[in-house]
Amino acid sequence: MSQKQMITDVLMVGATGSIGRLAVKAAQRHGLRPRALVRDAQRGEELLPGVELVQGDLEDPATLLSAVGGADAILLTHGSGSDTRRDARAHVDYGGVLNILQALDGAKPRVALMTSIYATRSDIPGATPWKRRSERLLRASGLPYTIVRPGWFDLAGATQRRLVLEQGGTGDGGVARDQIAETLVRSLLTDTALGKTFELIATEGEEPSDWADLFGALKADESGSVDGVLDPFNLPVESEPPALRADLDAVRSLRGAGG
Ligand SMILES: NC(=O)c1ccc[n+]([C@@H]2O[C@H](COP(=O)([O-])OP(=O)(O)OC[C@H]3O[C@@H](n4cnc5c(N)ncnc54)[C@H](OP(=O)(O)O)[C@@H]3O)[C@@H](O)[C@H]2O)c1
């Protein structure tokens, strides 16, 4: 899917969040240089002492241009959870990914995107298609990616450290926040994670020891498809609103841009 990339500088989107803070630590543990996108510099300094900060707002595309500059990789764990606006998911969960991709201006960093185990579910009360739509943007972008759909945060006991990676969007379960963060960072550093989308839960057992095998056992998404390889056909692109199809076209058109 892409040539092997040397990854050092990682833009962390959602870095002040409950997963983002752990992802910053995981990136540091793996010798990467995280740079945190923050809306509020003071909050960033408090939550992420000593971490390089870059100020920006996912809803304000102009503020993202310098944030993405020079990033070898981007790790996205942002979310609109605490935002009470009715359309927050469209603006933040989806619009944030769109704006980041458009800010890249031809650069081709590796991307790890966290969405949700319910991303493709239409039968779960409260589930919306915005995270799935954000995934579609990333696949359409042609960037080298991994999409991680975690189950319920920290709804796994202390001895449930065996990670189970599933595809098809039918599973359920919990996983510890630190394991989500570790999986996201590992996905940036492991070739067998490229072009893959999976749900992530934990069961009784030991931590993974061979990440290449863990990711390698998964099916890759089909080239040219905007959906995960085993995703249910319950949100046809052809039936999506014209504005969203136009976003996909706009992102596809970025493929040829830059070097
Ligand atoms: N709870 C679960 O069990 C579960 C399971 C699977 C998936 N999820 C998904 O995980 C996400 C929540 O993860 P979390 O707990 O890490 O989130 P969180 O603690 O609520 O953090 C959200 C992050 O997004 C950032 N953000 C929000 N709007 C932004 C904007 N306009 N510009 C820049 N940054 C922005 C926040 O920055 P500020 O610090 O500036 O606010 C914060 O860093 C949700 O989307 C949820 O759907 C949750």
Side-chain angles (χ1 to χ4, degrees):
M1 172 163 198
S2 103
Q3 291 165 351
K4 197 168 169 66
Q5 287 172 279
M6 181 71 189
I7 293 175
T8 306
D9 288 303
V10 185
L11 177 68
M12 316 288 293
V13 177
T16 52
S18 80
I19 303 295
R21 293 197 297 274
L22 296 172
V24 167
K25 286 190 180 144
Q28 289 170 326
R29 264 199 320 275
H30 285 281
L32 303 177
R33 202 157 51 216
R35 185 164 84 230
L37 180 80
V38 294
R39 289 192 280 190
D40 176 343
Q42 194 181 337
R43 178 171 157 76
E45 279 165 25
E46 283 164 15
L47 292 175
L48 301 164
V51 175
E52 185 185 343
L53 306 179
V54 53
Q55 213 162 346
D57 188 320
L58 288 168
E59 294 188 60
D60 184 353
T63 65
L64 301 175
L65 296 172
S66 61
V68 301
D72 305 314
I74 303 181
L75 193 156
L76 299 120
T77 59
H78 63 288
S80 55
S82 56
D83 193 326
T84 53
R85 288 173 299 165
R86 261 174 62 90
D87 53 0
R89 289 175 178 174
H91 286 297
V92 178
D93 297 9
Y94 171 85
V97 174
L98 180 64
N99 289 337
I100 288 280
L101 294 175
Q102 293 192 313
L104 283 170
D105 193 28
K108 308 223 181 298
R110 186 143 166 179
V111 181
L113 171 65
M114 178 184 83
T115 61
S116 162
I117 198 164
Y118 293 151
T120 61
R121 299 283 291 269
S122 46
D123 57 326
I124 301 286
T128 78
W130 290 109
K131 286 199 188 285
R132 184 174 189 177
R133 288 169 171 155
S134 75
E135 295 181 356
R136 286 177 164 176
L137 291 171
L138 179 55
R139 294 191 195 94
S141 74
L143 295 174
Y145 69 84
T146 306
I147 295 170
V148 180
R149 298 168 167 168
W152 292 97
F153 295 173
D154 282 347
L155 198 76
T159 54
Q160 294 179 311
R161 300 294 290 179
R162 187 171 85 81
L163 291 180
V164 179
L165 280 50
E166 296 179 338
Q167 295 176 298
T170 54
D172 213 343
V175 57
R177 281 180 165 84
D178 70 294
Q179 289 199 291
I180 300 169
E182 179 72 10
T183 303
L184 285 159
V185 172
R186 291 275 187 175
S187 80
L188 292 175
L189 300 173
T190 310
D191 279 347
T192 53
L194 265 180
K196 301 203 169 157
T197 301
F198 57 88
E199 293 87 48
L200 179 71
I201 57 171
T203 59
E204 203 65 34
E206 302 292 317
E207 310 244 355
S209 57
D210 189 331
W211 289 84
D213 270 7
L214 191 65
F215 295 129
L218 298 167
K219 290 183 195 302
D221 295 337
E222 280 170 28
S223 172
S225 171
V226 293
D227 282 312
V229 61
L230 297 177
D231 284 356
F233 188 70
N234 55 3
L235 190 72
V237 179
E238 310 75 49
S239 311
E240 285 283 78
L244 299 185
R245 282 184 279 140
D247 287 345
L248 281 172
D249 288 339
V251 166
R252 279 193 195 99
S253 74
L254 299 170
R255 280 172 172 243

